[in-house]
Amino acid sequence: IFQFTKDLKTAREFSKAGFRHLALANYSRLSKGTVWDNTIYFSYASELQKVKKLDSAILRLRESSKYMYDDYTTTLFAKIYFEKKQLHEAEEFYLQAVHINPKSFRNRFTLMQFYAEIGHEEKAKAVGNFILTMPFKPTEKINVQIRTQVRHFLIKSTNLSNP
């Protein structure tokens, strides 16, 4: 178990340092081992997505979702399907992320960005306006940053639609 833990740490360090192929090689080896951690397939899928091996990423993420299915899983599925230009599937997974964790600013923000990216301005504005109504604590820096970015998006989209 010690060697497994050491190898998992090494894979994560390679990932953080940007050494994708080394991280992938370690995750691949770890996923075939006898000792197992429920985050291996998710981390492996995430690395595969970063190097654009999208079909392989989906397979690993499906394996991961047998053990762990949360808003991070659905968001990664959404990102992969978006990259594959399968927009309906991407939208479904972004919506699942919001459903799984409705209080998450991050999930709603990524849904808003998705709608803006595909040209669904009204849906993006609706999600953005909803984010601004969500309760938050000023000490939650990430939520303050998201609210600021949403305000900028709404101002920009309003200015573009009113020439």
Side-chain angles (χ1 to χ4, degrees), residues 105 108-109 112 127-134 146-147 150:
F105 280 65
R108 291 185 189 275
F109 184 65
M112 183 194 83
V127 174
N129 283 319
F130 187 86
I131 290 170
L132 295 180
T133 67
M134 293 172 67
I146 287 173
R147 288 172 55 88
V150 167

Side-chain angles (χ1 to χ4, degrees), residues 30-155:
L30 287 167
S31 70
K32 296 172 185 165
T34 55
V35 179
W36 198 79
D37 175 283
N38 66 353
T39 64
I40 290 173
Y41 287 125
F42 179 85
S43 298
Y44 192 11
S46 180
E47 285 303 313
L48 288 164
Q49 182 258 339
K50 291 172 187 170
V51 296
K52 308 299 182 213
K53 294 185 177 183
L54 304 177
D55 291 331
S56 295
I58 289 171
L59 291 174
R60 296 295 167 253
L61 201 51
R62 284 184 183 148
E63 283 296 315
S64 171
S65 65
K66 292 177 185 175
Y67 308 99
M68 175 180 73
Y69 195 81
D70 58 11
D71 53 327
Y72 290 96
T73 304
T74 57
T75 300
L76 185 54
F77 268 125
K79 288 177 183 177
I80 294 167
Y81 282 113
F82 178 74
E83 288 184 47
K84 288 175 62 77
K85 307 283 188 252
Q86 295 178 2
L87 302 182
H88 178 73
E89 289 83 355
E91 180 181 26
E92 289 298 316
F93 280 109
Y94 280 124
L95 290 169
Q96 277 185 39
V98 169
H99 180 74
I100 289 170
N101 189 354
K103 293 181 180 179
S104 169
F105 280 65
R106 177 185 48 83
N107 293 339
R108 291 185 189 275
F109 184 65
T110 55
L111 178 63
M112 183 194 83
Q113 289 177 310
F114 167 73
Y115 284 140
E117 184 78 22
I118 65 171
H120 291 178
E121 289 294 317
E122 293 307 312
K123 285 184 176 182
K125 288 180 190 177
V127 174
N129 283 319
F130 187 86
I131 290 170
L132 295 180
T133 67
M134 293 172 67
F136 78 104
K137 297 175 186 162
T139 55
E140 297 171 332
K141 280 187 164 185
I142 188 67
N143 293 344
V144 171
Q145 291 170 346
I146 287 173
R147 288 172 55 88
T148 301
Q149 289 181 23
V150 167
R151 278 193 206 94
H152 288 295
F153 166 76
L154 291 172
I155 290 168

